[in-house]
Each structure stands twice: as structure tokens, then as C-alpha cells.
Amino acid sequence: MAEPDKRLEQMLIKLRENDLRITPQRLAVLKILAKSKGHPTVERIYDQVRIDFPTTSLATVYKCIVMMKNLGEVLEIGFSDDSNRYDGRRPHPHPHLICNCCKRILDPDLASLKAMTLELSKETGYRIESHRLDFFGVCPECQSKGK
């Protein structure tokens, strides 16, 4: 099974476990979240869902994303300008690399992050429940354009 298909199935299992309906619109939103590598906004997901379901409202998409976020199946990446982005592929806390120019978001793998989290917890006595680690810079494409 391909990775997006596997991720979609995990989200569908979570809906079933919580006795939540799998409507065609919800399924469309989940498919987009499962396959998207670009951390889309709600508006971008809405635009894609409306291709197949033109009567779907923006509120329906928001409700679906909030529901999945509350189930721990979507990670929200909040920004001060209210352009929140969503990650359905990797819903657990992980670092992000964000371009200041084009707003592209990448998911770097940092092997040392788990060790750092454990060390921080041990040193402070905190039970770390979540974290957010974002790096901001200019991506290679934007650099080549002189930005």
C-alpha cells in the first residue's frame, strides 16, 4: 500500500473508532491531507474539494479539519497572520523548515530531536506533551530568483 493510502486508512480507522460518519466530503478532505506534502491552508483544501463537490462549504472543510485535529490525526501549524497550514501526513509534532518568501514548508528529519526532548524533560522535570520547532529562511528556489 502506498504511503498516502496507508495514511488515509489510518485516518478512516480513527473515524470509525469514534463512530464518526465518513461522508464523501470528509473523505475528499482526508484524501487531500493524506497525500499533500505542502501543508495546505483550509482555503487550498476547500478549492480542491470543490472540484468534485461544488456545493461543499468552507465551513464543512473547517469542521472536518478541526475534528481530525481533535482526534490527533492532523497537525495545525499556526502563523501570526492567520494563514494556518495543516499536516495530515505527519500529525505528530516535528520540526518545520519554512521559506520566508514563498511560504513553502518542508519536514526535515532531525534524529537529535528525540534525544533533546528527553534531555529537556529530564533536566527540568517537565512532562513534555508537545513541541513546536520551526526554522525560517529562504529556500534554494527563492535564493536563485534573488529574493
Side-chain angles (χ1 to χ4, degrees):
M1 187 181 304
E3 189 63 34
D5 292 337
K6 186 176 180 180
R7 182 67 197 115
L8 176 62
E9 187 56 35
Q10 291 169 338
M11 290 190 275
L12 293 173
I13 288 169
K14 187 67 85 148
L15 286 177
R16 290 184 197 109
E17 287 174 352
N18 287 276
D19 295 320
L20 295 165
R21 290 184 19 218
I22 302 171
T23 65
Q25 292 84 358
R26 279 184 183 166
L27 184 58
V29 170
L30 297 184
K31 284 180 179 179
I32 292 164
L33 287 167
K35 70 178 180 180
S36 179
K37 294 181 182 179
H39 304 78
T41 63
V42 170
E43 291 79 9
R44 186 177 214 176
I45 295 168
Y46 170 68
D47 289 342
Q48 291 178 30
V49 169
R50 289 198 60 217
I51 293 169
D52 294 322
F53 301 97
T55 60
T56 301
S57 70
L58 184 59
T60 296
V61 175
Y62 267 111
K63 288 176 189 174
C64 181
I65 291 173
V66 168
M67 176 186 60
M68 296 309 290
K69 181 181 150 197
N70 291 338
L71 291 173
E73 294 298 316
V74 170
L75 180 68
E76 180 177 47
I77 307 163
F79 294 99
S80 59
D81 65 355
D82 291 331
S83 63
N84 293 351
R85 309 274 286 275
Y86 297 90
D87 190 345
R89 289 176 57 106
R90 296 176 68 188
H92 54 280
H94 59 276
H96 294 98
L97 187 56
I98 303 160
C99 179
N100 289 323
C101 297
C102 68
K103 307 302 181 204
R104 179 179 304 141
I105 301 175
L106 298 179
D107 294 329
D109 286 319
L110 297 178
S112 61
L113 187 58
K114 185 174 183 177
M116 183 175 68
T117 303
L118 290 171
E119 180 183 350
L120 185 60
S121 180
K122 194 175 192 179
E123 194 171 301
T124 64
Y126 274 69
R127 181 182 69 235
I128 307 295
E129 297 176 345
S130 184
H131 62 78
R132 178 170 175 180
L133 181 60
D134 297 330
F135 297 91
F136 295 87
V138 180
C139 72
E141 290 83 10
C142 288
Q143 289 177 50
S144 70
K145 295 175 185 173
K147 294 183 179 182

